[in-house]
Amino acid sequence: MFRLFPPPRQGPSSLMGPKSKKTAGKKKISKAERLRLLQEEEERRLKEEEEARLKFEKEEQERLEVQRIEKEKWYRLEKKDLERRNEEFEELTLLEGCFPEAEKLKRETRALAQWKHYLQCDGSPDPSNAQEMNTFISLWEEETNETFKQVIEKSKLVLSLIEKLKLFLLETPSCDLGDRTVAQHQESILRLQELLSLKVDMATELLLREASTLADLDSGNMEKKIQDENVTLYVWANLKKNPRYRSVKFSETQIGFEIPKILATSNIALRLLHTRYDHITPLFPTAVPEEERAPIVEEEFRKEKNTEKALSTEKALSTERAVSAERAVSAERASSAEKEATSQDEEPELKQDREFSLVPEEETKSEALEDNEVQRTSDQEDENTEATRYELEMRLLSEAVSAAQLHLVENIVELPDINENEADLCHFSTLGGVYHLDILELPPQCKPVKGWVLVEIRQEGLQKFTYPPENTDEPDPENAFPPIEVTLEVHENVIFFENPQVIRWDAEGKFWRTDGISSIVYNREERLITFSLDTLGPVTLIQDTHINMPYQSWELRPLGVNWVLITVTTLFAELQIYIKENLCMLASIKLKDQEHVSHLEGKWMTPVPFILALKEAGLNIFPTVYSHFYVVINNKVPMVEVKAYRQMALLSSAFAFRWSKWNMACSSTRVVFRVKEYLAEEAEDHLWALLMFSGDRAQMLRIREDSEAFSEALKEETEFHSTLYHMVKDSASLEAMEKVRHSDCQFIDSVCHMLLSIRVLSFS
């Protein structure tokens, strides 16, 4: 039996290693010493905490004191702003009287244009006169056998009339447009467009009747090209019907068709009519519903006008009654005096004659004085009535202009419905006109017989050849009637920042379609586009309307009194626009750091035609009411935006405005931009101040453009103002304000209209 014993117990010395032995040699810290050290550590900690607490309390007191001072300063500034608010608003209202004044001048200009047209007596109709337009259209309908050159020459007048009618609908405020006027002008536009298309078809038929006499000696087919600044016509007549002649290229161009065998052997003609204008796309909606035309304003106008008439009539009647009463009293006095003189027979005859002669003299003087008094009263009333009428007219004009300006920055809530495969014209814009591609049945040819020319004239007129046929016996129609390849030339005055898309017209549905088109190839250098169509018809090219939106930056810089330069920088281009007096001009355009010469440079136009010309050239920087659906924007409150543009325009002769990145950081109820006085060519960034405006309060910001974070803190030594105009005026020089006061009303209106159309504060 084995028994286990515990191991031998080792002493402390045996358990300690070399380090323990070394440590044991050191002096031990006593308990009292340890307590003292702990106490000192605790006292030091408490002292640091107390110092930190005192420091925090001191900093908090300083912060609260600064906050209190800032709050008191803020209250003082707000109180000062409120005290002068009414005065500033009244002054601004007087300054903004330039907008109704400019509108009044526009009305006078339109009336003067009608008078000049009347005096000109050139035989052209007045487009605003429905009777003259109907007469012109009826007379042109009766004309027959017009050649294509004659039609082109007449089309210049027709296109001019259409343009005048469209501009009238666009430039005239909605309050001046009645439903009847809008419908009348739109009907005239449609009738002119349809008649012009009909005349082109009739001239084409007349040309194709003579195809055999115009045939080319080499190919045996007829080829004709007619061109002017608005229209280019290419016509090819298949006289030989050679099945191997599949490629139709018009001489000295790359334009043409690749046709299948069935067309190469058919009695057809191919027509390519390129019109620089677009008479196919439905007209823009310009009619304004009656309930949206400020009925309160119109009713007030009618009431005040009727009140004025009633008051003037009542005053005239009362004056007439008073005069009649005075004359009756005078007559009664004269009658009594005459009776008294007759009864006194004892008086000498000379005395009687003198008395009789005095009575009519007094009556004459009294009547003359009364007439003069009535005349003076009437003149004074006329002056007061004229002044009241002018004041009322300007007030109504001011309301109409304000409503029209607000309409330019409003956004539609819902998009219109579109059909399947329909091109979205809210998203895209047609550019470069319309290419009418037609396969026509060749009409009977002229035959010379014994010195006479026999022509068979069909009553149905020019007929189109159906391709592919509706009924066919071919076993495989897809292979028998392949798509037709077309090569077109893009108009040189149109800029495409991306490859253009092709759409075709649906004559039944009356809209542009995106299907039925394939194999699109665009040669940018030669400006040629090639594609295949299932069936020929009108086609056009489209580009994204918002390709230049949002803008990367913008600037409004004065060049002198009534002369500014607007620069808009986009992803693809930089546009510079001059505004001088009431005219606009494209100063320059840079495409990706390269200069581009545009046909619009050097041409001064009023704002609305200028905007249309830029859109037609592909330089679209003008948002529509649907643009916010397609562009990520910094959407501002419309009224704030309108007020900012109006006051920027007032100051534009002497102050420069520029884009700021902080405009995106603030809320939709505020706008932020940079501003500085611009009297010389000085562009140092430190001179630019940041200004924030909310519609009824303007302030300079303490931050700078290169600050790290956004803050609404007020800049030192500045105050609040109720208007942007007075905020800028607060630190302006006398020379600058003198330039502002000498600005022309039409110039201010043009600058404001351009800013409202570009919307730099929401689309940058």
Side-chain angles (χ1 to χ4, degrees):
M1 185 174 182
F2 297 97
R3 191 172 181 180
L4 297 176
F5 295 94
R9 190 169 183 177
Q10 298 178 352
S13 60
S14 63
L15 292 174
M16 295 175 61
K19 293 183 179 180
S20 301
K21 291 179 180 179
K22 193 173 182 181
T23 306
K26 290 184 178 180
K27 185 179 178 180
K28 289 186 176 180
I29 301 175
S30 64
K31 186 175 181 180
E33 183 71 16
R34 188 181 297 113
L35 289 174
R36 185 182 65 79
L37 292 174
L38 290 174
Q39 187 176 2
E40 289 178 355
E41 182 68 23
E42 182 67 16
E43 290 176 355
R44 186 168 57 252
R45 185 181 64 80
L46 292 174
K47 184 179 180 180
E48 289 177 355
E49 288 180 355
E50 182 66 16
E51 290 176 353
R53 186 182 65 81
L54 293 174
K55 183 179 179 182
F56 174 77
E57 289 180 354
K58 183 180 179 181
E59 290 177 350
E60 184 67 14
Q61 288 178 357
E62 292 177 353
R63 186 185 66 82
L64 291 175
E65 182 65 17
V66 171
Q67 189 175 6
R68 184 188 65 81
I69 294 173
E70 289 290 335
K71 202 170 185 180
E72 289 180 357
K73 181 182 177 182
W74 189 276
Y75 284 152
R76 287 197 304 270
L77 292 175
E78 281 190 333
K79 184 180 179 181
K80 190 175 181 181
D81 178 36
L82 289 174
E83 289 174 353
R84 63 190 177 196
R85 171 164 293 195
N86 291 335
E87 181 182 349
E88 290 184 350
F89 279 148
E90 287 176 2
E91 184 180 357
L92 180 65
T93 302
L94 291 175
L95 292 170
E96 289 185 338
C98 62
F99 295 109
E101 188 67 31
E103 183 59 36
K104 185 178 180 182
L105 290 175
K106 291 179 187 176
R107 289 184 174 185
E108 293 175 357
T109 302
R110 288 194 289 267
L112 183 61
Q114 291 183 346
W115 177 246
K116 286 182 177 179
H117 180 273
Y118 175 76
L119 294 178
Q120 195 172 3
C121 294
D122 58 353
S124 62
D126 180 4
S128 61
N129 189 317
Q131 185 176 0
E132 292 187 18
M133 291 298 295
N134 291 334
T135 303
F136 173 79
I137 292 172
S138 299
L139 291 176
W140 197 27
E141 285 177 340
E142 295 175 359
E143 295 182 13
T144 57
N145 297 328
E146 292 178 286
T147 65
F148 207 92
K149 290 185 178 180
Q150 291 174 331
V151 172
I152 286 180
E153 191 64 29
K154 192 67 168 286
S155 70
K156 295 178 181 178
L157 173 59
V158 174
L159 294 174
S160 174
L161 295 173
I162 292 174
E163 183 180 2
K164 288 178 180 178
L165 288 171
K166 287 184 176 180
L167 287 178
F168 178 82
L169 293 175
L170 287 173
E171 292 180 332
T172 307
S174 58
C175 61
D176 292 346
L177 286 175
D179 290 337
R180 182 177 180 182
T181 303
V182 173
Q184 167 191 318
H185 290 341
Q186 288 190 341
E187 182 184 0
S188 298
I189 291 173
L190 290 173
R191 289 185 64 188
L192 287 173
Q193 290 177 348
E194 293 172 357
L195 183 57
L196 181 57
S197 177
L198 177 63
K199 289 293 183 178
V200 167
D201 286 346
M202 295 173 64
T204 302
E205 181 185 11
L206 190 63
L207 178 64
L208 289 177
R209 288 178 192 164
E210 302 174 354
S212 57
T213 61
L214 301 174
D216 182 64
L217 296 178
D218 297 332
S219 64
N221 297 319
M222 187 272 280
E223 179 184 320
K224 188 72 174 177
K225 176 183 177 182
I226 302 175
Q227 183 178 9
D228 79 334
E229 64 269 19
N230 298 316
V231 175
T232 301
L233 173 71
Y234 298 95
V235 178
W236 176 81
N238 189 16
L239 299 174
K240 287 297 184 181
K241 304 176 184 58
N242 188 347
R244 292 178 296 179
Y245 197 86
R246 305 280 190 88
S247 181
V248 180
K249 297 293 181 183
F250 295 99
S251 58
E252 301 180 358
T253 68
Q254 297 294 322
I255 301 172
F257 304 86
E258 294 291 335
I259 59 177
K261 180 179 179 181
I262 184 174
L263 294 180
T265 57
S266 299
N267 191 38
I268 62 162
L270 297 176
R271 181 179 68 175
L272 194 165
L273 175 65
H274 179 203
T275 59
R276 312 291 189 272
Y277 49 83
D278 181 2
H279 286 174
I280 291 184
T281 304
L283 292 176
F284 47 85
T286 55
V288 180
E290 194 68 31
E291 60 272 11
E292 294 183 7
R293 286 208 196 116
I296 298 176
V297 176
E298 294 183 357
E299 186 66 25
E300 184 179 356
F301 175 76
R302 285 194 292 269
K303 284 182 179 179
E304 294 197 21
K305 199 169 183 181
N306 293 335
T307 304
E308 286 179 6
K309 288 182 178 179
L311 289 174
S312 60
T313 304
E314 185 177 352
K315 287 181 180 179
L317 289 174
S318 62
T319 305
E320 186 177 350
R321 292 193 196 102
V323 172
S324 300
E326 289 291 335
R327 288 180 176 175
V329 171
S330 299
E332 186 177 353
R333 288 176 181 174
S335 177
S336 61
E338 184 179 356
K339 290 179 181 179
E340 185 179 354
T342 307
S343 62
Q344 296 176 355
D345 298 331
E346 65 276 4
E347 294 185 2
E349 186 177 352
L350 180 62
K351 183 178 178 181
Q352 291 180 1
D353 293 339
R354 186 171 63 249
E355 288 180 356
F356 282 126
S357 64
L358 286 175
V359 172
E361 185 177 354
E362 290 176 359
E363 289 181 2
T364 305
K365 289 182 179 179
S366 176
E367 290 179 1
L369 290 174
E370 289 171 0
D371 291 341
N372 291 335
E373 185 66 26
V374 170
Q375 183 65 30
R376 283 196 299 269
T377 305
S378 178
D379 293 342
Q380 186 175 1
E381 289 177 356
D382 290 343
E383 291 177 2
N384 294 336
T385 304
E386 187 68 27
T388 304
R389 185 182 293 109
Y390 177 79
E391 182 181 351
L392 178 62
E393 180 188 6
M394 298 307 291
R395 182 159 61 88
L396 295 176
L397 272 178
S398 178
E399 293 178 5
V401 170
S402 298
Q405 290 176 343
L406 186 62
H407 180 68
L408 288 174
V409 297
E410 287 179 343
N411 297 324
I412 295 296
V413 179
E414 296 182 359
L415 279 171
D417 297 330
I418 60 174
N419 301 318
E420 185 180 1
N421 296 321
E422 181 180 357
D424 185 1
L425 295 186
C426 297
H427 188 189
F428 296 92
S429 300
T430 62
L431 293 176
V434 178
Y435 300 85
H436 300 262
L437 309 175
D438 298 301
I439 308 174
L440 306 172
E441 293 183 3
L442 198 61
Q445 297 299 296
C446 301
K447 296 180 181 179
V449 178
K450 297 181 180 180
W452 293 82
V453 177
L454 299 180
V455 183
E456 180 183 352
I457 299 177
R458 298 178 178 177
Q459 293 183 352
E460 59 271 16
L462 190 65
Q463 295 295 305
K464 295 186 177 181
F465 183 89
T466 304
Y467 179 88
E470 297 177 357
N471 299 320
T472 178
D473 297 332
E474 295 289 338
D476 190 0
E478 293 184 1
N479 294 330
F481 306 104
I484 302 174
E485 184 179 293
V486 183
T487 301
L488 302 176
E489 184 179 8
V490 178
H491 195 271
E492 60 183 359
N493 292 337
V494 178
I495 298 176
F496 283 95
F497 298 100
E498 294 179 346
N499 290 347
Q501 302 179 42
V502 185
I503 55 176
R504 63 184 182 88
W505 179 248
D506 186 341
E508 295 182 0
K510 302 297 181 183
F511 60 85
W512 291 102
R513 302 183 66 96
T514 58
D515 59 338
I517 305 168
S518 58
S519 306
I520 302 176
V521 178
Y522 180 54
N523 187 331
R524 185 172 295 274
E525 287 73 20
E526 298 184 3
R527 301 183 65 84
L528 295 175
I529 185 166
T530 302
F531 53 91
S532 297
L533 281 171
D534 294 339
T535 182
L536 295 188
V539 300
T540 189
L541 309 179
I542 58 174
Q543 180 174 250
D544 187 356
T545 302
H546 314 94
I547 195 169
N548 287 312
M549 304 175 200
Y551 322 125
Q552 294 182 335
S553 64
W554 61 271
E555 181 179 305
L556 173 64
R557 177 160 55 93
L559 301 177
V561 179
N562 300 331
W563 188 14
V564 298
L565 175 68
I566 297 180
T567 302
V568 179
T569 304
T570 72
L571 180 63
F572 295 97
E574 179 187 279
L575 280 76
Q576 292 189 327
I577 300 171
Y578 285 137
I579 302 179
K580 194 171 184 180
E581 304 297 339
N582 64 329
L583 300 175
C584 306
M585 185 186 76
L586 181 64
S588 68
I589 174 173
K590 295 180 181 178
L591 302 179
K592 294 183 179 179
D593 299 328
Q594 294 180 356
E595 293 288 342
H596 175 81
V597 179
S598 173
H599 69 289
L600 296 176
E601 294 181 25
K603 295 182 179 180
W604 291 95
M605 293 176 272
T606 53
V608 173
F610 176 74
I611 291 172
L612 292 178
L614 282 184
K615 287 182 178 181
E616 292 173 357
L619 303 173
N620 196 345
I621 54 171
F622 306 101
T624 67
V625 292
Y626 305 106
S627 295
H628 62 286
F629 290 109
Y630 308 100
V631 184
V632 179
I633 65 171
N634 183 18
N635 196 18
K636 301 296 182 181
V637 174
M639 186 55 70
V640 174
E641 204 172 350
V642 170
K643 289 182 178 180
Y645 294 146
R646 285 167 69 101
Q647 297 178 49
M648 288 165 66
L650 284 172
L651 297 161
S652 59
S653 282
F655 294 88
F657 301 90
R658 180 182 286 184
W659 166 87
S660 172
K661 66 179 181 181
W662 300 120
N663 189 43
M664 291 287 292
C666 65
S667 65
S668 62
T669 59
R670 293 172 173 83
V671 294
V672 177
F673 47 84
R674 287 180 281 177
V675 61
K676 79 178 183 102
E677 189 174 308
Y678 206 100
L679 299 178
E681 290 293 334
E682 47 186 16
E684 292 83 357
D685 286 339
H686 69 275
L687 296 175
W688 292 92
L690 276 173
L691 193 148
M692 185 173 71
F693 182 58
S694 63
D696 57 1
R697 172 172 289 179
Q699 68 183 76
M700 294 293 182
L701 298 180
R702 185 180 301 170
I703 60 173
R704 301 194 61 81
E705 188 66 20
D706 54 358
S707 300
E708 295 182 358
F710 177 72
S711 171
E712 295 186 4
L714 190 67
K715 187 179 179 181
E716 295 82 358
E717 300 180 357
T718 61
E719 299 179 351
F720 295 134
H721 281 279
S722 300
T723 70
L724 169 63
Y725 175 85
H726 290 91
M727 185 72 254
V728 175
K729 179 184 176 182
D730 212 13
S731 58
S733 66
L734 294 176
E735 184 183 356
M737 297 313 298
E738 189 68 20
K739 284 189 173 183
V740 170
R741 282 190 289 270
H742 284 82
S743 297
D744 182 69
C745 63
Q746 289 184 302
F747 163 75
I748 296 172
D749 182 73
S750 298
V751 173
C752 183
H753 185 86
M754 194 60 62
L755 291 174
L756 287 165
S757 300
I758 303 176
R759 297 188 64 184
V760 294
L761 294 175
S762 285
F763 281 79
S764 295

